[in-house]
Amino acid sequence: MLVSYEWLKDYVEIDLSPEELAEKLTMTGIEVESVRQLDPGLKGVVVGKVLSVNKHPEADKLYVVQVDVKDEILDIVVGIANYETGDLVPVAKPGAVLPNGMKIKKTKLRGVNSNGMLCSSEELGLELCHEYGILVLDEVHPVGQEIADALGLRDWVLELGLTPNRSDCLGLIGLAYEVSAITGAPLKLDFPEVKEDEEDIVEMAQVRIIDEELCPRYSAKIIKNIKIQPSPLWYQRRLLSVGIRPINNIVDVTNYVMWESGQPLHAFDYDRVKDSTVIIRRAYKDEKLITLDEQERCLEEDMLVIADPSGAVALAGVMGGLSTEITEKTRDVLLESANFEPTTIRKTSRDLGLRSEASLRFERWVDPNGTVDAANRAAQLLARLANGQVVKGTLDEYPAVKGKTSVHFRPDKARKIIGLNLADSEMKSIFNKLGFSVSEVNDNNFKVQIPTRRPDITREEDLVEEVARIYGYEHIETTLPRGTITQGRKTREQKLVDMTKELLIACGLYEVITYSFVSSRILNDLKLEVNDYLRNVVNIYNPISEEQSVMRTTLLGNLLNVLKYNVNRNIYSQRIFELGNVFLPGEKSSAYSLPEERETLTMALMGIWEEKNWQHKQNPVDFYYLKGIIEALLGRLGIVDYKFYPVKYPSFHPARAAEIFIGEEKVGILGEVHADVVSRFDLQERVYMAELNFKTLSRHAKMLINFKPLPRFPAVLRDIAVMVKEDVLSHDISREIFNAGGELVENETLFDMYQGEQISTGYRSLAYSIVYRSKQKTLTDEEVNEVHQRIIKSLEEEFGAGLRE
């Protein structure tokens, strides 16, 4: 917002320079982004008094004007004569340089010497609204005075960078309250009273608010017999200083009062409002309105309009309509001063691409208790500047009156928060300076009444901030932060995540990240059973689309979609993983209960693991490749007591899937994806996937690395081949080998599995290589044979295993 320094001084007695004022405002939270002096560049242009106007002796369209510029009388040849003897006009003396770069010098036109130039507003670089031709000053000024001083062009302009919560400072009066509180300067808010006629406004018009939610208050006044004309030059200059182009006295008054009070106004041609009835309602479906910019607007039903019985005549708080605009024929004005709900104004302004100073103020909040004061101020100015007659009374619809906010304030708490030992009286004085009413309650605490112009003050902490900023942040002693300093480091869980990702990437997998929102159809594509807990999803109330209507309970479908996406781009060999959260509904103790977020690790493999080259054949991925990656991950995390058990799960091949257990706790599942699921995702090749509960993995992981010295004594290798039933698991046999062999068994490896002609039906042969080693000595054959026989006997007793000859 732009603030004229001289204009602001009308409302508060400032004895600070513009730079000093900007510094104080910035230090109290009203940021001043820039301070600049209006430099018109009019050196050598002065006020001149017209002494005579005569026809040029040698040219019909030229005039010879004699002007008094105090220190001399100048004869100037001019091409237009819209002035009279005795008028005051801008005179550019020889040597002056105008803003457009024109240098004025003595010259001779048609035989007559011309010693300067009479100037129009355009030649002075000003967008003033006045009669075409030379600018005629409308006030008395000393002859010879610099024109910049006569027009008040040496003003200073402060540009404020207001935060959205300080809408009260979008008017000069609101800013005056701030300056008064900061500097202690007295306010000057005594405005002339409005002189009204005997005719009552209730006999001339009526106002009906249909939508009270979107229009909390609507006030209106009528001014009759106005005269449309340019505003006085001082008035126009003030508007120009804050970036508003003068148009005519009616429009200029509405803009002037808006800048003064922060309350936007709009003027209707009273005679063009049908039945003299103003209706505030939502737009009808497909209703159209031609706005002041002569554009036809198609309105939405959630837009608020000002209407008469014939239809919409204005977009509330945004722009007026062409049908009721002020024209040169306007004689009576209906003046609107209203309050509108911020959200609807913001939405209407955005949807129609119409941004204005009025909509900016309504979007941020306008004080509903200021409408009548603003209307009266505008009426008083219209009576003065447009010779209007103000009709008695004000139409004021205010269904739900908004009162002051009461906030309980504890001085002791304020002192603790601010860190200054301020007296209670000092804090009370600050509130009084801000225009707040203060009453003392029990235990030296205050009850503070907040005026409605300050919607940003709603709680005790806001009042503490007001005390601190008005007293001055610079008075708060500078201190260093105190507290226990901790070393920044990753948590155990973060380290485990890093270790997991590093290992999987080392194994040739690529990390992917997918959306947490999925389609509910993906659960059907995975062939999940009706009572599967993964079907219990968290629904999204306002989904972007049906494809993102629920929160994922598994990552299997997400990764299958990634495989499909890449296959469609001719990438057939893929190794990917994702470590992310799935969302499972928790116990619904209330409507706001949050779901359980379970960190899950999912992997997917398809295609060729190793491409064919001259050294070896290409190797397709398979179940055991995936199992090997998982075993490598478990080993990296220090987990050794894991087991794999066959399992049947709808999403996986019935004979190629396994559950993973750590101890007695299930941690996940892996296997070949069911052919039906693969086809539903438009994939042709076999897909192998695993999904692990990463939280469970983390709980069992061991970060401590144990040192194991190199062996000092040689190892003895023995092989053993046993025939067991098909349902006997290899890891059970491995466990028994270690149990029976004791500490002498260092390692065992399954190196062969055979089923064929020499093996009975329902049986299979499993061959193991066993490594024997002692930490204390070199083992003899007798010692190894004894342990080896003990293992054979234990396998026979435990599993009915027989040695294969």
Side-chain angles (χ1 to χ4, degrees), residues 349-471:
S349 176
R350 184 191 65 225
D351 291 348
L352 296 179
L354 292 173
R355 301 283 295 178
S356 65
E357 291 291 344
S359 66
L360 169 67
R361 283 159 174 76
F362 281 123
E363 287 174 15
R364 294 195 176 188
W365 169 270
V366 172
D367 181 9
N369 291 323
T371 60
V372 172
D373 289 341
N376 286 331
R377 173 65 167 156
Q380 179 261 323
L381 289 171
L382 287 174
R384 173 186 170 188
L385 302 181
N387 300 319
Q389 298 171 327
V390 181
V391 175
K392 180 181 177 181
T394 303
L395 294 175
D396 186 26
E397 292 295 316
Y398 198 1
V401 177
K402 182 175 179 60
K404 295 182 178 181
T405 302
S406 293
V407 179
H408 187 74
F409 180 77
R410 291 167 290 177
D412 288 340
K413 181 178 180 181
R415 282 187 280 266
K416 183 177 180 181
I417 293 175
I418 299 171
L420 290 175
N421 189 25
L422 293 177
D424 292 5
S425 58
E426 179 72 25
M427 300 186 202
K428 188 174 181 179
S429 175
I430 289 173
F431 294 144
N432 289 329
K433 290 177 182 178
L434 289 166
F436 302 170
S437 301
V438 184
S439 59
E440 192 168 333
V441 294
N442 57 344
D443 299 328
N444 295 324
N445 296 334
F446 300 155
K447 183 173 75 171
V448 184
Q449 299 281 337
I450 313 299
T452 51
R453 63 181 173 81
R454 289 297 302 273
D456 57 310
I457 308 296
T458 59
R459 54 182 182 167
E460 186 178 18
E461 287 76 9
D462 296 329
L463 290 175
V464 173
E465 181 185 4
E466 293 297 290
V467 170
R469 71 183 191 85
I470 298 301
Y471 184 77

Side-chain angles (χ1 to χ4, degrees), residues 12-39:
V12 60
E13 295 182 4
I14 306 173
D15 58 0
L16 301 173
S17 69
E19 293 89 346
E20 290 171 335
L21 177 61
E23 176 68 17
K24 284 189 173 293
L25 285 172
T26 300
M27 289 302 295
T28 54
I30 307 296
E31 181 185 3
V32 179
E33 296 180 344
S34 66
V35 181
R36 59 185 175 88
Q37 186 176 22
L38 296 178
D39 183 8

Side-chain angles (χ1 to χ4, degrees), residues 7 12 39 48 68 101 136 153 165 181 215 230 302 330 381 596 636 718 799:
W7 192 355
V12 60
D39 183 8
D68 180 6
V136 179
L153 300 179
N165 65 314
C215 180
D302 59 352
T330 300
L381 289 171
E596 175 195 353
R636 180 67 182 87
R718 296 285 175 90
F799 305 108

Side-chain angles (χ1 to χ4, degrees), residues 175-345:
L175 186 61
Y177 275 104
E178 235 3 72
V179 174
S180 175
I182 296 168
T183 65
L187 292 168
K188 301 187 293 182
L189 301 179
D190 295 327
F191 300 109
E193 292 186 5
V194 182
K195 295 181 179 180
E196 298 179 333
D197 285 354
E198 294 300 322
E199 190 173 7
D200 200 322
I201 193 171
V202 297
E203 299 174 357
M204 296 184 62
Q206 60 176 320
V207 171
R208 296 207 315 267
I209 301 178
I210 305 300
D211 197 316
E212 297 177 1
E213 178 185 356
L214 300 186
C215 180
R217 188 176 191 181
Y218 193 97
S219 306
K221 292 191 77 70
I222 295 176
I223 300 90
K224 301 195 311 178
N225 300 322
I226 62 165
K227 181 180 178 181
I228 305 290
Q229 59 188 4
S231 300
L233 294 181
W234 69 268
Y235 203 85
Q236 296 188 46
R237 196 275 306 165
R238 281 197 168 178
L239 293 176
L240 284 173
S241 69
V242 294
I244 298 177
R245 183 173 63 87
I247 298 175
N248 59 50
N249 52 353
I250 309 303
V251 176
D252 292 351
V253 163
T254 61
N255 286 330
Y256 188 96
V257 174
M258 176 181 69
W259 222 263
E260 179 181 80
S261 65
Q263 169 67 56
L265 304 171
H266 184 69
F268 297 95
D269 188 325
Y270 169 77
D271 296 321
R272 300 170 75 178
V273 178
K274 187 175 181 181
D275 297 338
S276 303
T277 300
V278 176
I279 304 169
I280 303 92
R281 59 169 172 81
R282 293 176 190 258
Y284 298 138
K285 184 177 181 181
D286 298 327
E287 187 171 13
K288 291 181 171 55
L289 171 67
I290 300 177
T291 47
L292 289 173
D293 56 1
E294 300 184 3
Q295 298 291 318
E296 185 178 67
R297 311 283 181 177
C298 185
L299 308 181
E300 303 290 339
E301 291 180 273
D302 59 352
M303 294 179 179
L304 189 68
V305 298
I306 310 301
D308 62 15
S310 66
V313 297
L315 274 170
V318 179
M319 184 175 283
L322 192 64
S323 63
T324 55
E325 73 167 332
I326 302 297
T327 66
E328 293 181 355
K329 298 179 181 180
T330 300
R331 290 296 171 262
D332 300 333
V333 168
L334 189 150
L335 188 66
E336 168 193 281
S337 180
N339 185 266
F340 304 117
E341 196 276 325
T343 304
T344 187
I345 302 301

Side-chain angles (χ1 to χ4, degrees), residues 544-560:
I544 298 174
S545 67
E546 182 60 32
E547 296 302 314
Q548 295 182 323
S549 59
V550 301
M551 302 193 77
R552 64 190 183 189
T553 56
T554 174
L555 296 177
L556 294 174
N558 294 53
L559 265 61
L560 285 168

